[in-house]
Amino acid sequence: MICALGSAVCYGTATVLQAVAARAASDSGSGSGDAGVDPALLLRAVRQWRYVAGLGLDGLGFVLQIVALRAVPIYAVGAALAASLAVTAVVAARVLAARLSGTEWAAVGVVCAGLAMLGLASGKEGHEDGPAALPWALLAVAAAILLAGAVAGRLPGRARALVLGLGAGCGFGVVEVAVRLIDSFDLANPALYALLLGGGAAFLLLTSALQRGSVTTATAGMVLGETIGPALVGVGWLGDHTRSGLGWLAVAGFVVAVAGALALARFGEAPQVNTAK
């Protein structure tokens, strides 16, 4: 859980940096990002030092996430990663002078309380492999995420943001499950390609969402996509469980943590700051 929380700190801080960089990259582009997912946006974004710093934090967060996924159930790690929005809110308040209302500070406290409940109730990770078709299903989901990104460009504004965010969250969820299915570096394992494709698609969709004027809906969709699906897979097929008699506490902690994160979804939005420096 310490590694999971460390991963949340890395991801939450990276979100602030990447949101600023995505907005700057969008402003310096030709406006093609308005048509949906813009692959060239990533190329423009990596020229921004903030985006590169964010990628560095994402890399560290991913290492910590892998360690966590090898020790505790997916549902606990997923809730901790959703709590990265609480980190984003606090960092935005300190670094970007974003104002948190009393309700939003309360939401940060709610997230922390939910994670504490999960930490007390979580058992060890499961050791089941799940259905033989699960790695292939993950690969199919990762491919579908890319397809959803292409379709999102033709949807109205709010629906487009929701599809982009939900797609990004599902991509991160694919990564969470795939990590559990990879025991060694095996090029014949479809879970390895699902991890790479799902992670790449998630970054593309999330970066496209972060460049928009308002991505609160997208961020909420991302939280739901990266928590609920992987948690169900972990409990249903991979053998994740809770401490004896504490299943109710784990469910309550998961719901509380995710609800608190959703209340802070607006902090996934690209901040309006001077990016000329």
Side-chain angles (χ1 to χ4, degrees):
M1 282 302 294
I2 292 175
C3 287
L5 293 174
S7 180
V9 170
C10 291
Y11 288 149
T13 305
T15 295
V16 177
L17 297 174
Q18 290 169 337
V20 177
R23 173 60 60 83
S26 177
D27 291 343
S28 64
S30 60
S32 59
D34 294 336
V37 176
D38 179 13
L41 174 64
L42 278 175
L43 298 179
R44 298 195 300 272
V46 295
R47 299 173 187 171
Q48 306 283 333
W49 71 265
R50 295 176 182 86
Y51 197 86
V52 175
L55 286 178
L57 286 172
D58 281 333
L60 177 59
F62 183 62
V63 172
L64 294 173
Q65 179 184 353
I66 291 177
V67 175
L69 285 167
R70 293 293 183 179
V72 295
I74 292 178
Y75 63 79
V77 178
L81 296 184
S84 66
L85 283 178
V87 177
T88 298
V90 173
V91 172
R94 298 290 184 182
V95 176
L96 302 175
R99 290 188 176 183
L100 273 71
S101 66
T103 301
E104 287 163 339
W105 279 115
V108 172
V110 166
V111 169
C112 294
L115 291 176
M117 295 162 66
L118 270 174
L120 290 172
S122 297
K124 295 182 179 180
E125 64 156 336
H127 296 285
E128 298 179 15
D129 295 327
L134 182 57
W136 292 103
L138 287 178
L139 187 57
V141 169
I145 290 168
L146 280 177
L147 212 56
V151 172
R154 299 179 175 84
L155 295 175
R158 191 173 182 85
R160 178 174 55 193
L162 178 61
V163 173
L164 285 174
L166 189 59
C170 289
F172 291 131
V174 166
V175 171
E176 292 176 30
V177 177
V179 166
R180 286 279 296 273
L181 299 180
I182 299 175
D183 293 324
S184 60
F185 186 76
D186 181 6
L187 292 176
N189 188 351
L192 174 62
Y193 301 101
L195 185 151
L196 297 174
L197 183 59
F203 267 110
L204 176 59
L205 268 62
L206 181 58
T207 303
S208 296
L210 288 175
Q211 75 167 338
R212 306 194 176 281
S214 177
V215 294
T216 299
T217 301
T219 307
M222 182 186 70
V223 169
L224 295 175
E226 72 178 349
T227 54
I228 296 177
L232 293 175
V233 172
V235 173
W237 286 330
L238 302 183
D240 288 345
H241 59 276
T242 65
R243 296 178 188 270
S244 179
L246 293 181
W248 65 271
L249 185 61
V251 172
F254 181 86
V255 172
V256 167
V258 173
L262 290 175
L264 295 166
R266 77 179 183 90
F267 286 95
E269 184 173 339
Q272 297 283 356
V273 298
N274 182 7
T275 57
K277 295 181 179 181

